[in-house]
Amino acid sequence: MAIANESHQEEKNMHEHHGAGRYWLIWGVLLVLTVVTVVTGRMHLPSFGLLLALVIATVKGTLVALYFMHLSEHRGANRIVFGVSIVFVVLMLAIPMADLGTRFRGANPPGSQYSDLQPPDIGTGAQRGRFGGGLRPHQTKDTPETPEPGHH
Amino acid sequence: MQSSAHTADGTANVPRLAEHFASLEVQNHAARLGMWLFLATEILLFAGLFVCYGCYRFLFPEAWAAGSRSLDLTMGTVNTIVLITSSLTAALAVHYAKEGKNKMVGVMFALTLVMALGFLVIKYFEYAHKFHIGTLPGRYYFYEGMQMPGITLYFTVYFCSTALHALHVVIGMTVLAVAMVRAFKKKDFGPNNYTMVELGSMYWHLVDLVWIFLFPMLYLV
């Protein structure tokens, strides 16, 4: 009897069974990459530090997805779902960044790198915060009211 | 709840096949595809926070550099290693489930849970230190040592992303604990019945995957 959702898709998925050694190998590679990213991160490389860290993280993430999550043994729909979600993540990152990078300079928040305006009083001192630091009310008892930001 | 058809010899445990599936293979495929779809939504959930990170970092690079240097890199690195190792034991649990070694499945998940707990304990100490010195989000920030525009935003992003991640750690621990109890008590995982172990393990790998990105973003650059 033919049933609508009958398929032989799964015969190709997850049926190969291999030794546990592969997982230990991936684990070792992940640890090495972690050490590499920490060492290079501590150097505070000027321009390509972020790029390098993200490339290493992407390699690690790919190893986890392919071997720990068995994506390397999957075909079809599972791969498409994962791939498409990554494409959407990239789009979601790229479009707001492109917006910020091309804005009229005055539209950026005051105090930011791409603004000529002075930062407002962000009120972050122990005695000064809008709520006197919020978590330390006892310290603000004797100090005068903090002026609202932007009133000076 | 999947119930298993116990056969006489007790080795060929097979989960119940729902009527609308042509075969067990199709049912497993549907379960796995559903899990991937769910994980895709999880990835996009975290991506929203990554966008916040990217935009504010672009606007306040100095605050981002100062903020990331104020974090405890040793604790962050130890936590990364702990989480990667817990991902290994979760992967090994699936490996043993396919071979029907239920005791090993339970042991592997128990190790994963111990490391997950360790991760949360280290995270607690990091949080406690921040609450103490006052590097907190938004209006609650009161640390005198770093005063610059955008610094409170760094800690908003830090707390939102690590707290959401920690919530996922707790959920993952719950899922793995259920699978662990089943491996120890019902002992019915085997070559035809390991979907629960596999999908629980996939969730745990996602938690690891997210941390692999959060760690360099927050602690290193």
Side-chain angles (χ1 to χ4, degrees):
Chain A
M1 184 179 75
I3 298 180
N5 62 12
E6 190 168 26
S7 92
H8 299 285
Q9 180 70 43
E10 204 63 11
E11 289 170 8
K12 287 175 247 159
N13 281 350
M14 293 292 296
H15 274 266
E16 60 176 280
H17 188 64
H18 42 74
R22 157 196 283 211
Y23 299 120
W24 288 95
L25 179 69
I26 299 298
W27 175 68
V29 175
L30 288 174
L31 288 191
V32 169
L33 287 175
T34 304
V35 171
V36 170
T37 195
V38 169
V39 170
T40 55
R42 290 187 73 155
M43 293 175 189
H44 297 301
L45 300 170
S47 54
F48 59 96
L50 176 66
L51 186 67
L52 180 67
L54 286 181
V55 166
I56 294 175
T58 307
V59 171
K60 287 166 76 180
T62 310
L63 287 176
V64 170
L66 281 182
Y67 298 106
F68 280 0
M69 296 167 102
H70 303 282
L71 206 59
S72 69
E73 297 160 28
H74 289 179
R75 300 283 175 274
N78 294 342
R79 282 191 164 185
I80 290 174
V81 166
F82 189 74
V84 167
S85 78
I86 299 300
V87 170
F88 282 164
V89 168
V90 172
L91 277 179
M92 206 161 127
L93 278 166
I95 293 170
M97 297 305 288
D99 165 38
L100 273 178
T102 54
R103 270 187 193 177
F104 167 58
R105 198 167 167 88
N108 286 317
S112 70
Q113 191 191 14
Y114 302 98
S115 172
D116 309 314
L117 302 172
Q118 283 297 308
D121 178 9
I122 54 170
T124 53
Q127 310 277 311
R128 296 187 49 81
R130 264 202 289 172
F131 291 82
L135 296 180
R136 285 185 174 175
H138 55 280
Q139 284 195 343
T140 59
K141 267 180 189 162
D142 301 328
T143 56
E145 269 303 303
T146 310
E148 281 293 311
H151 273 220
H152 54 100
Chain B
M1 186 70 206
Q2 277 185 339
S3 71
S4 300
H6 286 273
T7 49
D9 58 354
T11 53
N13 289 307
V14 174
R16 190 172 59 200
L17 176 65
E19 274 179 19
H20 52 279
F21 289 115
S23 66
L24 200 59
E25 281 70 34
V26 174
Q27 178 169 297
N28 288 343
H29 180 66
R32 195 173 294 134
L33 180 59
M35 192 66 193
W36 276 110
L37 281 167
F38 172 63
L39 293 189
T41 66
E42 291 274 32
I43 289 169
L44 286 161
L45 170 68
F46 279 99
L49 283 164
F50 290 179
V51 171
C52 290
Y53 175 96
C55 289
Y56 291 132
R57 187 197 160 98
F58 179 79
L59 290 172
F60 301 103
E62 285 164 22
W64 245 243
S68 72
R69 277 166 212 201
S70 79
L71 300 188
D72 191 326
L73 182 59
T74 313
M75 282 192 178
T77 309
V78 170
N79 254 354
T80 307
I81 292 169
V82 166
L83 215 52
I84 285 176
T85 311
S86 74
S87 221
L88 167 73
T89 52
L92 287 174
V94 180
H95 173 78
Y96 289 121
K98 283 190 216 169
E99 294 181 349
K101 295 177 181 165
N102 278 280
K103 200 181 165 200
M104 287 304 286
V105 175
V107 169
M108 285 301 153
F109 276 156
L111 285 174
T112 309
L113 288 176
V114 168
M115 283 182 271
L117 207 59
F119 177 90
L120 289 179
V121 168
I122 295 173
K123 203 83 226 155
Y124 165 78
F125 282 118
E126 285 191 80
Y127 272 23
H129 179 65
K130 284 176 185 61
F131 275 84
H132 181 69
I133 64 169
T135 46
L136 295 171
R139 63 173 69 150
Y140 298 105
Y141 189 95
F142 61 85
Y143 183 53
E144 301 275 16
M146 282 188 296
Q147 294 282 318
M148 61 190 79
I151 190 69
T152 60
L153 281 171
Y154 175 81
F155 286 98
T156 305
V157 170
Y158 170 85
F159 273 98
C160 285
S161 50
T162 54
L164 186 65
H165 179 263
L167 176 68
H168 280 76
V169 171
V170 173
I171 296 170
M173 285 172 76
T174 314
V175 172
L176 295 190
V178 171
M180 179 187 76
V181 169
R182 183 161 164 171
F184 278 136
K185 289 214 164 154
K186 282 181 83 179
K187 300 186 180 66
D188 62 348
F189 294 125
N192 295 317
N193 182 25
Y194 60 89
T195 304
M196 184 182 184
V197 177
E198 193 200 345
L199 301 193
S201 177
M202 272 167 69
Y203 189 83
W204 192 255
H205 295 315
L206 178 92
V207 170
D208 183 33
L209 197 62
V210 170
W211 184 257
I212 282 175
F213 281 91
L214 279 183
F215 169 64
M217 280 165 56
L218 292 173
Y219 288 78
L220 289 174
V221 286

